[in-house]
Amino acid sequence: MSSNSFSYNEQSGGGEATELGQEATSTISPSGAFGLFSSDLKKNEDLKQMLESNKDSAKLDAMKRIVGMIAKGKNASELFPAVVKNVASKNIEIKKLVYVYLVRYAEEQQDLALLSISTFQRALKDPNQLIRASALRVLSSIRVPIIVPIMMLAIKEASADLSPYVRKNAAHAIQKLYSLDPEQKEMLIEVIEKLLKDKSTLVAGSVVMAFEEVCPDRIDLIHKNYRKLCNLLVDVEEWGQVVIIHMLTRYARTQFVSPWKEGDELEDNEKNFYESDDDQKEKTDKRKKPYTMDPDHRLLIRNTKPLLQSRNAAVVMAVAQLYWHISPKSEAGIISKSLVRLLRSNREVQYIVLQNIATMSIQRKGMFEPYLKSFYVRSTDPTMIKTLKLEILTNLANEANISTLLREFQTYVKSQDKQFAAATIQTIGRCATNIVEVTDTCLNGLVCLLSNRDEIVVAESVVVIKKLLQMQPVQHGEIIKHMAKLLDSITVPVARASILWLIGENCERVPKIAPDVLRKMAKSFTSEDDLVKLQILNLGAKLYLTNSKQTKLLTQYILNLGKYDQNYDIRDRTRFIRQLIVPNEKSGALSKYAKKIFLAQKPAPLLESPFKDRDHFQLGTLSHTLNIKATGYLELSNWPEVAPDPSVRNVEVIELAKEWTPAGKAKQENSAKKFYSESEEEEDSSDSSSDSESESGSESGEQGESGEEGDSNEDSSEDSSSEQDSESGRESGLENKRTAKRNSKAKGKSDSEDGEKENEKSKTSDSSNAESSSIEDSSSDSESESESESESESRKVTQEKEKKTKQGRIPLTKDVSLLDLDDFNPVSTPVALPTPALSPSLMADLEGLNLSTSSSVISVSTPVFVPTKTHVLLHRMSGKGLAAHYFFPRQPCIFGDKMVSIQITLNNTTDQKIENIHIGEKKLPIGLKMHVFNPIDSLEPEGSITVSMGIDFCDSTQTASFQLCTKDDCFSVNIQPPVGELLLPVAMSEKDFKKEQACLSALHLLSKPRNANRNE
Amino acid sequence: MIHSLFLINSSGDIFLEKHWKSVVSRSVCDYFFEAQERATEAENVPPVIPTPHHYLLSVYRHKIFFVAVIQTEVPPLFVIEFLHRVDYFGVCSEPVIKDNVVVVYEVLEEMLDNGFPLATESNILKELIKPPTILRTVVNTITGSTNVGDQLPTGQLSVVPWRRTGVKYTNNEAYFDVIEEIDAIIDKSGSTITAEIQGVIDACVKLTGMPDLTLSFMNPRLLDDVSFHPCVRFKRWESERILSFIPPDGNFRLLSYHVSAQNLVAIPVYVKHNISFRDSSSLGRFEITVGPKQTMGKTIEGVTVTSQMPKGVLNMSLTPSQGTHTFDPVTKMLSWDVGKINPQKPPNLKGTMSLQAGASKPDENPTINLQFKIQQLAISGLKVNRLDMYGEKYKPFKGIKYMTKAGKFQVRT
């Protein structure tokens, strides 16, 4: 600190400042009570003196007291002049406290705050990076509009600082300046653009935060930094990770095509065809992905995966939502385990995570079904957690687990937390409507609850029963009679109203009771709740119409009572009903239809999850939690139909690519060839992508001529076309090898003609026709002129980039064999949980063992790995387009404890709906049992669905044969379990093993294999 | 991001406020108080409360509500996780914060910049602002030195931001505690409805310099789902199942893990219960016995039994065979501090309940919550194989401890 500034402070700050300070006091706290005010003044006087003193300790003491005041929310603004003088104090602690004070009050005392600016400006040039950083931090936190130019300058300089820490602070300062003066936006965007290029992990999170705040729509700034951000992500600090992941999710949704439809289909088909050729181990290799997924898309999905292991719940949730929104549906399964882990955390985290799971579980039950028990309610859970868990249990309920769940619900109904008990009853109602098999059971259960002691429980049951009965227009006279009796005892208005409504609706089914109920109600009309009164009126009207002989007088009596009721709703209703039902000279045409109006068939209410409509919000956001669009919520766009040019993410300059063009001639030819053979392949292997195929074809056709110019990437439409080309081209390389392998050239050719026809349909222009004919020719390797150099070029750029950065992509033309293996490697299976596969009877054995020899440790270990290998159950050829695969998820079966669980994935490869898929006749050897999956009503074309079933193989490898039926056909299929799928992996010490072995010697003599002893 | 923070104690006083952007009037907390009133219990206050201009995100810790004020869209977990990280003093209780208001305020200032987390590692924070200790306070008053770190914090700049530089100890020690918790629901008949094991490895590492540690397990495959402290090298774990890391200085949680629910979980205790209410009489019978089940030969200690009795129970007269018990007639909470379980003589609590006269009998028996500890046992069977240190020359003292505890362990009756 120079003596200059000190003297300056002394002179101008000292004298004047006190005056100013007093002014400020009088303006800011004029309302203080007199006595209090004076004492405050006195106290502050003493603080001022301390601040003026020469001793640091006194100053420090004063500052601490002042900051203490701030922390407690007391006003300390009048001390501003006295405090600001110390901004250049040599004592770090005093300085820090002064900074704290400044940041808090500068906004209120702008003129005085300016006095401190020069200190910060000097500090911005300090050789120590930490001092520079903290100066920038405080300077930018002083919200004084006059210094905007100074801040701007400081930010610009700091953004070029050598220290990443200073640059990080610059990124933070950007947001502060933007909120102070939004007009600086353009300049700030420039700084953001510069900082986005920064390679430091320290800066990344902060600058993306600034990006999100200042210019979230400038997605173009991200292109060049996309791959870098993906690669840095793991090393960025956790808070930055959250921000970056959310931003990249949005980015991915604008830049890549949807991996959801064609994607999943194609993958499955590939598995289907090549699985037998492929080595299992190669399959687990994650590097190469399906069909047309952009490698950049894959890069993001792959690089975020390790973050599921983060200790930070926000990071885990961010990755989970990323997977949910942008990964292929088959891969999203891995997030469920991590989300369930978060449920161990504190109640706030649980609350948010459960909400998100609730939304997910509506759309994809299968994801959380294996974790059903994690959502069981504990009596110590707070009510909000309980109800959320209940919600999820309801979503997960299906025919297979409903009996377990209902048993669990029974416990909940008896809970002391009556609010929760009521919620459970509603849940039972929802289960009853969703799962037809248990409707009657639930109804009976609910009727039993009607005799419960607790009124809330009874009331809720009445309401739910009412809804259920409304859904089933069958005779339920008995229940209605029972409920009519309840009217004497129950007092909860909603329940009373529900009963009355029910009786009114069914008044013809209970002709004797209804008038009697009305009689009773007429007596108590005046003392009823409004809700009940309205229903009494309704009941009266309905009875009047159906049974006027008995109830005419009663109804008129009630209408008279209603006429003079205090509530205008009831008076209105009375008037309305009277006009409608009582015939008089004034009544219009309507009264003729009175009966139709009152006793119309009413649609049953839908019992839906409150989370049903939440999925249009991005998961993990505040808006999703509140189910309201929060300020500043950024919509997640829909996938683009056609992916924008991926080459924009290439970091190399275009010139570099040009140089490569001649050298890559051979390659170019190859790729051209590949492109076509790819289109053949696509047409041939699955009709699925025909739409997109023809689209891309026509696109490229239209672009054909201009495409010759090559790399003019300015034109946006061309951008997109060349993007398409290079995409499919890249893929074609892989596809081509497949074609070659299968020696299906001839076939390919004919297929390409098909493809061409398809193209023609969608095309209009001549040029495109020319183009399509060139496609036909090109099956003999000729390089097509229109197939745009731009395409191959852009691809080459990509290739070069890939080679250099080793981002896991593989050069296209080399290493054919290697590529092959990678290529057909299926994506990890959807619900692969590393859980032991054990046939439950073995489990029981083991449990017994464990109990008897409590000293030894036999621990069941999780399976080393769950093979992703699927077995073909029904080939799509023999299944007339319906393909089925099964695999063993190695989890205990939820259907019965003796069963092995099996997951069956059904694919519809036809272009028509397949309806009513179910299991027909079973031919099981004696002892074998199976639990079939629920019939599937319909499977959309290209649709795929995974169902689980359980088979009890009796610990044998007998084959279970059964028929898989659709609406029209039946296909015989069978499942034979490999021995390994019936075993239980255990880990035990050698000693224990010997001991166990000794115990089982008799069995050994009989030379029977005993699985439990298998040592690891 | 985070605009302001208010700390509110159980009696509804705002005893600390901090603003990172423009000041938000504390009257915004009125919305919170409203919600609190509606929720009746602190636990049921919704963590996210919308108000006309702001959103209030709150967490409840150590009887304090941390209420963050948010103005725009932000992932709620981001804020919640942050609020749970404000953990400078170990325990953030009201008296501790009130005694150290200035330090807390400074720490908060350092933690966020413009509402975005800047430094949340407590190691770094402690380097920035030294926590006050009695000794230091005495020294400070004599020498006039300060609590604020006089060297500038370098941790934030390094590649290992979680570890401060220049650490020196005369005794170099590394302790690891493997602590497993059993979460279980046991039904009326004693069979397990659900049981799973959650474990953590907490470490206390006091090693000089920049040690690089590896920790390996005998049976790493037990771990079904893991989450790591950022110091753990994920790749190494993926490929070799070895934990390799440069540890933070002091106490930290190295790893938390989950042992799959599908594995068999040994339940170390059983609870026998006989609780009955009779319709006619105003007396009910109550008896519970706690005994060891699968304990692998270890003693069960620190057993406490708590149970929320139905509202109709006026009082209980019980005699325990060991330990002490209390019943709070207002909250209806029964708690029985059992202590150690002697397998030969399982502890038992027996007696009568007096019920409200005339009221009908409660339709549910109370749930019994159990707490216990078993030393020197990780119930999943997880075993640490070895711990090695690289990068430094000295020989550290290494220690490992196992413990099993009850997590959320409930017995339905």
Side-chain angles (χ1 to χ4, degrees):
Chain A
M1 173 194 61
S2 74
S3 57
N4 280 355
S5 80
F6 203 71
S7 62
Y8 169 75
N9 273 350
E10 287 280 52
Q11 284 162 9
S12 58
E16 258 171 59
T18 356
E19 279 172 35
L20 278 169
Q22 271 156 1
E23 261 175 45
T25 324
S26 53
T27 51
I28 284 167
S29 54
S31 58
F34 293 116
L36 203 74
F37 184 65
S38 57
S39 78
D40 260 10
L41 201 65
K42 225 178 187 176
K43 196 168 132 203
N44 288 350
E45 225 24 81
D46 129 61
L47 281 174
K48 270 183 203 160
Q49 270 169 19
M50 287 165 79
L51 285 171
E52 306 272 333
S53 98
N54 296 327
K55 279 191 210 148
D56 270 1
S57 61
K59 282 185 179 175
L60 187 60
D61 226 25
M63 278 318 295
K64 278 189 176 169
R65 275 171 57 190
I66 293 170
V67 171
M69 282 164 70
I70 297 175
K72 286 178 193 127
K74 288 180 192 149
N75 189 358
S77 60
E78 55 164 16
L79 291 162
F80 200 97
V83 172
V84 80
K85 274 191 289 184
N86 292 302
V87 73
S89 167
K90 267 181 189 158
N91 182 310
I92 294 182
E93 191 162 14
I94 294 178
K95 203 158 151 178
K96 273 202 164 169
L97 291 170
V98 173
Y99 284 4
V100 166
Y101 183 90
L102 258 180
V103 171
R104 171 68 179 76
Y105 282 114
E107 208 173 0
E108 293 173 20
Q109 311 236 341
Q110 308 213 344
D111 294 341
L112 283 173
L114 295 180
L115 298 177
S116 62
I117 302 300
S118 61
T119 321
F120 297 125
Q121 280 180 306
R122 244 193 325 278
L124 282 172
K125 305 250 172 350
D126 196 283
N128 187 321
Q129 50 177 339
L130 290 155
I131 291 178
R132 289 201 301 277
S134 93
L136 179 64
R137 211 178 133 195
V138 181
L139 180 70
S140 56
S141 299
I142 296 175
R143 290 169 290 272
V144 178
I146 294 176
I147 63 161
V148 163
I150 300 176
M151 273 165 78
M152 194 67 227
L153 203 70
I155 290 172
K156 275 189 176 161
E157 268 174 34
S159 68
D161 201 289
L162 282 179
S163 153
Y165 186 63
V166 175
R167 298 199 299 272
K168 183 188 179 73
N169 277 279
H172 288 175
I174 291 172
Q175 304 162 55
K176 297 184 219 172
L177 181 53
Y178 179 65
S179 63
L180 187 64
D181 182 9
E183 286 183 6
Q184 304 293 319
K185 187 171 174 179
E186 288 313 311
M187 298 245 268
L188 288 174
I189 290 176
E190 278 171 33
V191 184
I192 290 176
E193 194 173 359
K194 191 159 91 188
L195 284 174
L196 274 171
K197 291 187 184 126
D198 206 302
K199 290 201 168 55
S200 163
T201 52
L202 218 52
V203 184
S206 301
V207 68
V208 171
M209 189 63 228
F211 170 84
E212 292 279 83
E213 210 136 290
V214 179
C215 51
D217 46 337
R218 288 291 303 276
I219 215 91
D220 56 298
L221 297 181
I222 303 299
H223 291 322
K224 296 270 179 244
N225 303 298
Y226 173 83
R227 289 177 194 156
K228 183 199 72 196
L229 283 174
C230 286
N231 289 322
L232 286 184
L233 196 56
V234 186
D235 298 318
V236 175
E237 37 83 38
E238 40 196 349
W239 310 106
Q241 286 171 346
V242 178
V243 177
I244 296 175
I245 292 170
H246 274 271
M247 188 276 288
L248 289 178
T249 310
R250 270 192 313 119
Y251 179 87
R253 283 290 279 259
T254 60
Q255 299 299 315
F256 307 127
V257 285
S258 167
W260 289 344
K261 286 168 234 147
E262 314 93 49
D264 288 6
E265 262 319 290
L266 243 111
E267 260 168 60
D268 287 333
N269 285 342
E270 279 179 18
K271 250 185 247 168
N272 215 352
F273 275 99
Y274 301 105
E275 150 189 80
S276 49
D277 309 353
D278 284 340
D279 185 355
Q280 270 290 350
K281 272 178 193 164
E282 291 292 339
K283 282 187 176 183
T284 54
D285 187 347
K286 278 262 167 324
R287 285 186 306 169
K288 187 46 208 168
K289 278 305 147 184
Y291 75 123
T292 56
M293 178 184 272
D294 190 300
D296 289 326
H297 190 171
R298 171 53 57 197
L299 178 76
L300 176 59
I301 292 173
R302 190 182 55 224
N303 281 13
T304 46
K305 193 180 164 207
L307 297 180
L308 280 174
Q309 242 83 46
S310 171
R311 64 169 175 169
N312 187 321
V315 176
V316 177
M317 189 67 231
V319 179
Q321 67 84 24
L322 179 129
Y323 265 76
W324 177 261
H325 290 295
I326 74 162
S327 83
K329 294 205 161 138
S330 57
E331 289 170 54
I334 60 163
I335 63 175
S336 26
K337 190 194 282 181
S338 305
L339 287 179
V340 170
R341 183 185 73 227
L342 296 185
L343 297 183
R344 274 283 295 178
S345 191
N346 45 64
R347 64 159 192 124
E348 294 87 8
V349 173
Q350 279 186 45
Y351 176 73
I352 305 288
V353 173
L354 285 172
Q355 279 192 326
N356 285 292
I357 292 180
T359 303
M360 292 187 206
S361 61
I362 291 174
Q363 281 186 34
R364 299 184 212 164
K365 273 187 186 188
M367 267 174 75
F368 292 96
E369 244 170 32
Y371 302 98
L372 188 72
K373 287 190 172 176
S374 305
F375 303 107
Y376 278 10
V377 174
R378 289 160 201 280
S379 63
T380 42
D381 287 331
T383 310
M384 58 178 185
I385 300 295
K386 283 182 187 164
T387 37
L388 278 171
K389 281 185 172 174
L390 205 55
E391 176 63 40
I392 294 168
L393 288 176
T394 321
N395 292 341
L396 295 181
N398 60 24
E399 185 209 54
N401 56 27
I402 187 68
S403 56
T404 333
L405 277 180
L406 282 180
R407 217 172 305 133
E408 186 70 14
F409 290 159
Q410 269 171 21
T411 327
Y412 301 165
V413 169
K414 285 187 264 170
S415 163
Q416 291 173 34
D417 183 345
K418 290 305 165 197
Q419 205 188 331
F420 170 59
T424 309
I425 293 167
Q426 291 201 352
T427 299
I428 295 175
R430 260 175 64 196
C431 289
T433 53
N434 295 344
I435 301 161
V436 190
E437 285 88 339
V438 294
T439 311
D440 285 333
T441 327
C442 289
L443 199 55
N444 288 338
L446 289 170
V447 171
C448 291
L449 286 176
L450 289 178
S451 47
N452 194 289
R453 261 182 219 88
D454 192 274
E455 189 157 52
I456 302 170
V457 172
V458 178
E460 200 68 44
S461 313
V462 168
V463 176
V464 173
I465 289 176
K466 179 203 126 192
K467 286 182 184 159
L468 283 182
L469 291 188
Q470 202 180 341
M471 256 166 249
Q472 298 187 310
V474 203
Q475 285 281 3
H476 280 292
E478 278 309 308
I479 297 177
I480 295 169
K481 274 179 206 159
H482 185 97
M483 288 171 78
K485 278 180 209 151
L486 276 176
L487 268 179
D488 295 335
S489 53
I490 199 162
T491 58
V492 178
V494 197
R496 288 178 78 85
S498 294
I499 298 175
L500 290 173
W501 184 89
L502 253 184
I503 295 172
E505 273 307 281
N506 298 292
C507 57
E508 281 165 307
R509 290 186 190 129
V510 283
K512 281 186 186 156
I513 294 176
D516 195 47
V517 169
L518 189 66
R519 180 185 59 81
K520 280 187 193 165
M521 287 298 118
K523 257 200 315 198
S524 63
F525 185 86
T526 46
S527 55
E528 296 286 357
D529 188 274
D530 291 345
L531 200 63
V532 185
K533 284 180 183 169
L534 288 175
Q535 289 308 329
I536 297 175
L537 288 169
N538 278 346
L539 175 63
K542 285 170 192 165
L543 282 173
Y544 187 94
L545 293 168
T546 53
N547 185 5
S548 65
K549 211 174 90 193
Q550 271 185 304
T551 57
K552 193 173 175 183
L553 285 173
L554 264 176
T555 308
Q556 273 171 353
Y557 172 68
I558 290 167
L559 288 176
N560 281 336
L561 285 176
K563 195 175 171 184
Y564 300 105
D565 199 88
Q566 286 183 323
N567 186 299
Y568 53 79
D569 265 349
I570 293 168
R571 293 199 299 274
D572 283 354
R573 179 73 65 90
T574 311
R575 211 168 298 137
F576 165 72
I577 288 176
R578 191 189 291 274
Q579 288 303 318
L580 256 179
I581 61 170
V582 184
N584 58 11
E585 65 280 5
K586 267 192 261 171
S587 66
L590 262 183
S591 58
K592 267 186 262 169
Y593 301 103
K595 194 167 179 180
K596 275 193 181 161
I597 292 171
F598 277 102
L599 291 165
Q601 189 75 44
K602 282 134 190 126
L606 275 178
L607 299 181
E608 273 183 342
S609 163
F611 285 85
K612 187 147 194 183
D613 52 345
R614 288 212 186 177
D615 54 338
H616 59 272
F617 288 116
Q618 187 175 2
L619 290 184
T621 59
L622 189 61
S623 307
H624 174 267
T625 298
L626 295 170
N627 203 14
I628 302 167
K629 199 170 161 184
T631 350
Y633 173 72
L634 300 166
E635 291 279 353
L636 207 56
S637 71
N638 282 326
W639 297 102
E641 292 276 309
V642 176
D645 185 1
S647 65
V648 292
R649 285 184 290 276
N650 295 345
V651 184
E652 269 79 3
V653 274
I654 300 291
E655 279 76 58
L656 205 117
K658 265 185 186 158
E659 283 169 32
W660 279 95
T661 320
K665 194 114 194 180
K667 224 187 255 175
Q668 210 170 314
E669 279 174 347
N670 271 346
S671 54
K673 173 182 71 184
K674 276 168 216 150
F675 176 75
Y676 307 115
S677 46
E678 185 264 345
S679 70
E680 297 152 18
E681 173 71 19
E682 198 125 80
E683 293 291 318
D684 145 78
S685 68
S686 77
D687 314 2
S688 67
S689 53
S690 64
D691 272 278
S692 69
E693 192 59 32
S694 65
E695 210 173 283
S696 76
S698 65
E699 266 269 351
S700 57
E702 277 151 43
Q703 296 301 325
E705 273 145 358
S706 60
E708 281 183 276
E709 257 77 63
D711 54 49
S712 63
N713 277 343
E714 264 78 290
D715 185 337
S716 71
S717 64
E718 178 165 345
D719 269 12
S720 64
S721 88
S722 71
E723 190 276 334
Q724 271 281 325
D725 295 345
S726 73
E727 271 237 315
S728 37
R730 198 180 301 127
E731 199 220 337
S732 70
L734 313 165
E735 297 281 345
N736 179 44
K737 264 139 235 153
R738 243 180 271 161
T739 327
K741 197 158 134 193
R742 294 164 60 209
N743 288 329
S744 62
K745 253 194 182 157
K747 192 180 168 213
K749 201 165 186 177
S750 68
D751 275 331
S752 90
E753 269 158 17
D754 284 350
E756 188 227 325
K757 273 174 214 153
E758 191 118 30
N759 273 342
E760 269 171 356
K761 270 181 226 157
S762 62
K763 275 176 209 166
T764 47
S765 75
D766 282 2
S767 68
S768 59
N769 270 330
E771 143 80 329
S772 72
S773 61
S774 79
I775 289 187
E776 203 171 16
D777 294 344
S778 65
S779 47
S780 56
D781 288 22
S782 78
E783 182 192 344
S784 96
E785 66 285 22
S786 60
E787 234 353 297
S788 67
E789 282 165 21
S790 77
E791 167 246 321
S792 47
E793 240 172 58
S794 71
R795 184 174 55 251
K796 237 165 286 136
V797 178
T798 327
Q799 282 173 18
E800 289 313 314
K801 166 76 187 143
E802 280 160 11
K803 271 183 209 164
K804 279 176 189 164
T805 53
K806 292 185 181 170
Q807 284 176 354
R809 280 194 252 154
I810 297 160
L812 290 176
T813 42
K814 290 162 193 166
D815 303 330
V816 175
S817 60
L818 183 79
L819 205 67
D820 261 347
L821 291 171
D822 282 345
D823 178 17
F824 308 129
N825 138 41
V827 189
S828 63
T829 32
V831 209
L833 288 168
T835 42
L838 61 165
S839 100
S841 56
L842 286 178
M843 180 155 71
D845 281 355
L846 195 86
E847 197 162 53
L849 249 162
N850 230 346
L851 280 169
S852 57
T853 59
S854 57
S855 58
S856 68
V857 186
I858 301 173
S859 45
V860 180
S861 57
T862 48
V864 183
F865 99 114
V866 177
T868 52
K869 181 175 165 113
T870 59
H871 311 263
V872 179
L873 185 63
L874 179 64
H875 193 273
R876 70 182 175 89
M877 295 302 185
S878 47
K880 298 191 185 164
L882 176 71
H885 315 267
Y886 65 97
F887 95 111
F888 297 90
R890 298 196 172 176
Q891 311 156 17
C893 184
I894 47 174
F895 301 112
D897 48 4
K898 295 214 162 188
M899 293 186 172
V900 175
S901 61
I902 293 166
Q903 287 207 340
I904 299 184
T905 308
L906 298 157
N907 297 311
N908 181 356
T909 59
T910 64
D911 45 13
Q912 279 158 13
K913 252 189 201 175
I914 298 184
E915 287 180 304
N916 189 21
I917 303 172
H918 62 278
I919 285 182
E921 197 187 327
K922 297 174 242 179
K923 283 175 231 145
L924 303 175
I926 301 155
L928 260 64
K929 284 188 213 78
M930 71 187 276
H931 186 285
V932 302
F933 57 86
N934 300 348
I936 297 156
D937 286 341
S938 70
L939 188 57
E940 293 296 329
E942 330 306 348
S944 116
I945 190 163
T946 302
V947 292
S948 50
M949 54 184 285
I951 301 184
D952 179 10
F953 287 107
C954 291
D955 294 345
S956 67
T957 54
Q958 297 174 82
T959 307
S961 310
F962 52 92
Q963 286 192 319
L964 192 62
C965 302
T966 64
K967 202 174 99 190
D968 309 311
D969 305 285
C970 281
F971 312 104
S972 289
V973 293
N974 42 45
I975 294 179
Q976 185 176 27
V979 183
E981 299 296 344
L982 300 168
L983 293 183
L984 174 76
V986 299
M988 60 169 80
S989 69
E990 201 183 350
K991 205 179 90 196
D992 290 332
F993 173 69
K994 294 226 167 95
K995 207 156 88 193
E996 295 301 336
Q997 201 176 29
C999 296
L1000 294 163
S1001 57
L1003 289 175
H1004 275 285
L1005 289 175
L1006 291 170
S1007 70
K1008 270 195 184 171
R1010 176 76 181 186
N1011 315 319
N1013 269 336
R1014 204 172 55 147
N1015 204 341
E1016 265 199 334
Chain B
M1 289 241 152
I2 299 173
H3 208 104
S4 304
L5 175 70
F6 296 97
L7 301 195
I8 301 174
N9 66 13
S10 44
S11 51
D13 296 330
I14 303 170
F15 65 94
L16 192 138
E17 64 179 71
K18 171 85 187 88
H19 307 273
W20 285 275
K21 300 183 186 181
S22 302
V23 177
V24 177
S25 159
R26 55 163 68 190
S27 62
V28 77
C29 292
D30 293 347
Y31 293 102
F32 176 79
F33 293 132
E34 258 173 50
Q36 196 182 10
E37 222 162 89
R38 244 177 287 135
T40 60
E41 267 172 75
E43 274 202 319
N44 277 325
V45 177
V48 184
I49 302 166
T51 78
H53 301 287
H54 303 94
Y55 306 96
L56 304 180
L57 272 65
S58 64
V59 306
Y60 184 59
R61 301 166 57 195
H62 309 295
K63 304 228 157 61
I64 304 173
F65 279 105
F66 289 65
V67 182
V69 183
I70 308 295
Q71 243 173 351
T72 53
E73 170 67 51
V74 61
L77 278 184
F78 187 100
V79 180
I80 287 169
E81 180 81 23
F82 172 79
L83 294 180
H84 277 285
R85 290 283 181 88
V86 181
D87 199 14
Y88 181 75
F89 294 106
V91 181
C92 259
S93 69
E94 191 188 345
V96 175
I97 293 177
K98 274 190 170 167
D99 289 349
N100 299 287
V101 167
V102 177
V103 178
V104 173
Y105 197 86
E106 282 182 281
V107 168
L108 288 172
E109 176 79 32
E110 292 296 337
M111 284 182 90
L112 293 181
D113 183 14
N114 198 35
F116 188 79
L118 191 62
T120 49
E121 282 290 333
S122 72
N123 271 297
I124 292 178
L125 289 171
K126 283 184 180 152
E127 204 178 346
L128 284 168
I129 297 151
K130 300 225 167 85
T133 59
I134 295 168
L135 180 69
R136 192 172 297 125
T137 320
V138 173
V139 172
N140 284 355
T141 40
I142 295 166
T143 62
S145 62
T146 68
N147 280 338
V148 175
D150 38 3
Q151 316 142 318
L152 289 153
T154 45
Q156 268 169 313
L157 307 176
S158 80
V159 281
V160 278
W162 54 85
R163 189 173 177 88
R164 60 194 177 95
T165 46
V167 184
K168 271 202 186 101
Y169 288 102
T170 40
N171 297 321
N172 288 295
E173 314 162 309
Y175 296 104
F176 293 86
D177 294 353
V178 180
I179 302 165
E180 296 194 335
E181 292 191 358
I182 305 175
D183 288 354
I185 302 177
I186 312 287
D187 81 354
K188 225 174 221 168
S189 59
S191 55
T192 311
I193 294 179
T194 153
E196 49 190 17
I197 300 170
Q198 308 280 346
V200 294
I201 299 182
D202 282 341
C204 176
V205 177
K206 294 181 172 173
L207 297 175
T208 307
M210 272 287 166
D212 196 334
L213 303 179
T214 60
L215 183 81
S216 62
F217 297 101
M218 307 272 265
N219 40 9
R221 280 162 192 160
L222 271 181
L223 309 181
D224 175 36
D225 182 39
V226 282
S227 74
F228 302 114
H229 189 275
C231 68
V232 175
R233 297 179 180 106
F234 184 72
K235 293 240 165 73
R236 191 91 192 268
W237 171 260
E238 282 286 272
S239 56
E240 299 169 60
R241 300 274 139 177
I242 284 175
L243 294 174
S244 155
F245 56 98
I246 294 173
D249 185 41
N251 294 312
F252 67 103
R253 175 156 295 173
L254 178 65
L255 168 80
S256 32
Y257 60 89
H258 174 89
V259 178
S260 139
Q262 276 80 31
N263 275 344
L264 296 172
V265 177
I267 303 292
V269 290
Y270 70 83
V271 177
K272 267 194 209 151
H273 50 85
N274 181 8
I275 303 170
S276 61
F277 304 97
R278 265 164 294 169
D279 246 333
S280 50
S281 114
S282 62
L283 278 183
R285 270 192 305 159
F286 184 97
E287 181 178 359
I288 43 178
T289 309
V290 187
K293 209 167 156 189
Q294 291 156 283
T295 61
M296 322 290 168
K298 301 283 197 296
T299 336
I300 304 174
E301 27 185 281
V303 181
T304 46
V305 175
T306 52
S307 181
Q308 174 75 50
M309 303 305 286
K311 288 197 183 69
V313 178
L314 289 180
N315 214 335
M316 306 181 83
S317 75
L318 304 168
T319 11
S321 69
Q322 72 177 72
T324 53
H325 79 283
T326 52
F327 175 72
D328 183 339
V330 181
T331 59
K332 314 289 180 199
M333 185 62 84
L334 169 74
S335 79
W336 174 29
D337 191 351
V338 184
K340 252 184 215 172
I341 293 183
N342 176 0
Q344 268 71 51
K345 215 170 99 260
N348 147 298
L349 180 70
K350 195 173 174 182
T352 55
M353 299 173 278
S354 53
L355 306 173
Q356 207 158 14
S360 50
K361 74 165 188 161
D363 46 24
E364 189 201 29
N365 281 341
T367 310
I368 296 167
N369 293 301
L370 214 60
Q371 286 298 320
F372 57 81
K373 261 190 259 178
I374 307 171
Q375 303 280 4
Q376 292 154 10
L377 171 74
I379 197 87
S380 68
L382 186 74
K383 279 231 163 61
V384 172
N385 187 18
R386 53 183 298 141
L387 176 73
D388 297 302
M389 188 183 76
Y390 305 94
E392 296 288 336
K393 297 238 159 60
Y394 56 85
K395 261 213 140 152
F397 181 81
K398 300 177 274 191
I400 181 113
K401 209 169 78 183
Y402 296 93
M403 183 152 72
T404 298
K405 287 201 280 192
K408 295 172 183 164
F409 198 102
Q410 297 200 334
V411 182
R412 293 176 179 167
T413 62

